[in-house]
């Protein structure tokens, strides 16, 4: 597929040929605006999981002010670092995992690419599964009853939409986020106004924890939806910012991407914490239906939008990881395969609820790999290479390249040791 590139909303068709081959996106094909990056990252984070995680702090016994502090401080740290990975994509024009070849070696980068690919595919299933009970609860509120069959229908509909969008490529993703996220923000504004004006939010809610127990709960919230939440997006950042022209202001790109993450995560987290002072639950169905029964339909649309907006990034980045490790199939073909596998896996999770909860915790634990990987990438890119990457060398033949090693064992060793250390400190 060849041709010229036009940015989202320009009216012309975007050519994904460079992306399909994992080649650097040429400057004349980079027409994504800074504002597009804001909508992409905002859409990915307007998801039910964020208000559920916000409610977690209240459930653990923290005060409302403690939860707000953890959310703001944690996300400030996590998102500030996220912005530096966004700038890598704009500067080099390559995906995050291809860029990792510079630090880990031409074949060594396959290790983080495989981990990222598996986890992003797993999250695609989890993100779809996690909203099903909430959808049924909202549908029941408007008189529509459903059980296992209804869940399967929702899974198939959501998976079909997000697979098609991801298979079509960056233009479809950016356009979807650009036109749907403002609508979900309006729903979120209505929810927030309803919560703060007509619901008995306990603004003076005090927790029952002190000392070490309070610090432990604070660190849990900060990890779940603070620093840890921002860290999980590091491995995706350059996949989308590589379409931003170098002529665009780095400061504006940095700020737009960071705010696109920070605003919805903190907003939804605080809203979830406020709702939890009323219902004292973290169950998404009960939490939302109890508080927003009169807004059931618009809230349902927001809930369904959440996994789609997040999973189109998961599927798209998963396909890029597959190509990084040498899959020769077209990216769109890989996206369809990922969608089919994720659909089957989600249906299995619907039948095996206990296993799904365990898998959710397991996947959350696996994100610990990002911390050492990100540390290596930041040091390599900004300190060792001083932002001067030989992009052409990233595509050398590993067997004959003289510019990059096949495997950088120093980076691989540091990466593996870092995973063990991070996992140990997680507990």
């Amino acid at each position: 597929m060849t041709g010229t590139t036009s940015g989202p909303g320009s009216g012309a068709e975007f050519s994904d040929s460079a992306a399909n081959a994992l080649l650097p996106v040429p400057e004349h094909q980079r027409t994504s605006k800074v504002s597009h990056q804001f909508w992409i990252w905002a859409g990915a984070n307007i998801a039910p999981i964020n208000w559920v995680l916000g409610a977690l702090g209240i459930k653990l016994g923290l005060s409302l002010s403690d939860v707000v502090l953890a959310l703001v401080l944690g996300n400030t740290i996590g998102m500030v670092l996220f912005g530096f990975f966004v700038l890598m994509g704009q500067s080099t024009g390559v995906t995050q995992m291809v860029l990792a070849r510079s630090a880990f070696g031409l074949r060594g980068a396959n290790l983080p690419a495989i981990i990222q690919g598996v986890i992003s595919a797993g999250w695609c299933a989890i993100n779809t599964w996690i909203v099903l009970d909430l959808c049924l609860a909202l549908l029941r509120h408007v008189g529509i009853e459903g059980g296992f069959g209804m869940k399967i229908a929702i899974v198939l509909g959501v998976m079909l939409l997000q697979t098609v969008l991801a298979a079509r490529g960056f233009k479809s993703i950016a356009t979807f986020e650009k036109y749907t996220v403002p609508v979900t923000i309006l729903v979120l504004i209505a929810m927030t106004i309803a919560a703060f004006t007509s619901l008995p939010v306990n603004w003076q809610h005090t927790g029952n924890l002190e000392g070490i127990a309070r610090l432990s709960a604070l660190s849990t919230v900060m990890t779940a939806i603070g620093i840890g939440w921002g860290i999980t997006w590091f491995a995706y950042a350059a996949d989308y910012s590589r379409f931003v022209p170098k002529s665009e202001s780095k400061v504006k790109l940095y700020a737009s991407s960071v705010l696109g993450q920070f605003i919805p995560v903190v907003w939804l987290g605080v809203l979830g914490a406020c709702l939890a002072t009323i219902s004292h639950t973290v169950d998404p169905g009960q939490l939302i239906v109890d508080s927003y029964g009169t807004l059931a339909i618009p809230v349902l649309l927001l809930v369904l939008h959440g996994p789609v907006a997040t999973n189109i990034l998961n599927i798209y980045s998963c396909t890029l990881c597959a190509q990084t490790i040498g899959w020769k199939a077209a990216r769109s073909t890989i996206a369809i395969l990922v969608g089919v596998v994720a659909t089957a896996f989600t249906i299995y999770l619907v039948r095996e609820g206990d296993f799904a909860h365990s898998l959710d915790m397991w996947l959350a634990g696996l994100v610990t790999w990002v911390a050492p990987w990100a540390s290596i990438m930041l040091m390599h890119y900004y300190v060792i290479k001083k932002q001067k990457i030989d992009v052409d060398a990233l595509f050398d033949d590993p067997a004959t390249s003289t510019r990059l090693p096949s495997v950088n064992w120093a980076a691989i060793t540091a990466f593996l040791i870092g995973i063990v250390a991070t996992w140990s400190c997680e507990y």
Side-chain angles (χ1 to χ4, degrees), residues 103-148:
F104 290 85
L106 295 171
R107 286 198 177 104
N110 289 351
L111 176 59
I114 291 171
I115 296 174
Q116 168 64 0
V118 171
I119 291 179
S120 58
W123 275 121
C124 184
I126 287 291
N127 288 334
T128 305
W129 163 79
I130 203 170
V131 303
L132 296 177
D133 286 338
L134 176 50
C135 289
L136 292 187
L138 290 166
L139 288 172
R140 281 196 300 271
H141 193 82
V142 295
I144 302 176
E145 295 292 335
F148 179 78

Side-chain angles (χ1 to χ4, degrees), residues 209-223:
L209 300 179
E210 296 181 355
I212 297 299
R214 176 171 172 266
L215 291 176
S216 177
L218 279 170
S219 67
T220 297
V221 174
M222 192 172 289
T223 300

Side-chain angles (χ1 to χ4, degrees), residues 388-400:
K388 297 178 181 179
I389 299 295
D390 186 348
V391 175
D392 291 339
L394 301 176
F395 301 90
D396 282 354
D397 183 343
T400 59

Side-chain angles (χ1 to χ4, degrees), residues 108-405:
N110 289 351
L111 176 59
I114 291 171
I115 296 174
Q116 168 64 0
V118 171
I119 291 179
S120 58
W123 275 121
C124 184
I126 287 291
N127 288 334
T128 305
W129 163 79
I130 203 170
V131 303
L132 296 177
D133 286 338
L134 176 50
C135 289
L136 292 187
L138 290 166
L139 288 172
R140 281 196 300 271
H141 193 82
V142 295
I144 302 176
E145 295 292 335
F148 179 78
M150 181 70 76
K151 286 186 177 182
I152 298 303
I154 294 173
V155 169
L156 294 177
V158 169
M159 280 294 185
L160 177 62
L161 176 59
Q162 58 200 23
T163 301
V164 168
L165 287 170
R168 287 177 60 84
F170 174 78
K171 179 181 182 295
S172 292
I173 293 173
T175 302
F176 175 81
E177 305 285 21
K178 176 182 177 182
Y179 290 109
T180 61
V181 173
V183 177
T184 61
I185 289 178
L186 291 177
V187 176
L188 189 53
I189 290 173
M191 291 172 61
T192 306
I193 293 174
F196 293 170
T197 60
S198 59
L199 298 178
V201 175
N202 183 3
W203 298 105
Q204 283 74 44
H205 176 80
T206 57
N208 54 14
L209 300 179
E210 296 181 355
I212 297 299
R214 176 171 172 266
L215 291 176
S216 177
L218 279 170
S219 67
T220 297
V221 174
M222 192 172 289
T223 300
I225 192 173
I227 299 175
W229 191 261
I231 284 176
T232 60
W233 288 109
F234 290 177
Y236 298 78
D239 295 352
Y240 307 93
S241 60
R242 63 195 173 118
F243 295 101
V244 178
K246 291 183 180 180
S247 57
E248 289 280 345
S249 166
K250 292 184 181 298
V251 173
K252 290 182 179 179
L253 174 61
Y254 179 95
S256 179
S257 302
V258 167
L259 290 176
Q261 292 263 19
F262 182 87
I263 293 174
V265 172
V266 173
W267 186 351
L268 282 166
V270 171
L271 182 59
C274 290
L275 295 179
T277 67
I278 304 170
S279 64
H280 301 287
T281 179
V282 294
D283 176 74
Q286 183 179 344
L287 185 68
I288 299 305
V289 175
D290 286 354
S291 302
Y292 295 108
T294 56
L295 292 172
I297 295 301
V299 172
L300 177 62
L301 294 176
L302 183 146
V303 167
L304 289 173
H305 177 271
V308 175
T310 303
N311 285 339
I312 53 179
L313 303 191
N314 277 319
I315 296 174
Y316 184 72
S317 289
C318 181
T319 63
L320 299 179
C321 290
Q323 290 183 308
T324 300
I325 65 175
W327 284 28
K328 300 302 182 182
R331 184 193 49 72
S332 56
T333 302
I334 300 173
I336 294 172
L337 176 61
V338 173
V340 170
V341 173
T343 300
F345 193 30
T346 307
I347 293 174
Y348 176 76
L349 295 180
V350 173
R351 295 181 60 89
E352 303 292 335
D354 291 339
F355 173 74
H357 282 286
S358 299
L359 180 66
D360 192 14
M361 294 300 296
W362 178 72
L363 283 171
L366 281 182
V367 302
T368 55
W369 78 273
V370 181
W373 171 85
S375 299
I376 292 169
M377 289 297 295
L378 285 171
M379 288 296 296
H380 179 80
Y381 185 82
Y382 286 102
V383 179
I384 297 175
K385 291 296 184 180
K386 301 186 185 303
Q387 306 181 51
K388 297 178 181 179
I389 299 295
D390 186 348
V391 175
D392 291 339
L394 301 176
F395 301 90
D396 282 354
D397 183 343
T400 59
S401 176
T402 58
R403 295 184 288 186
L404 287 175

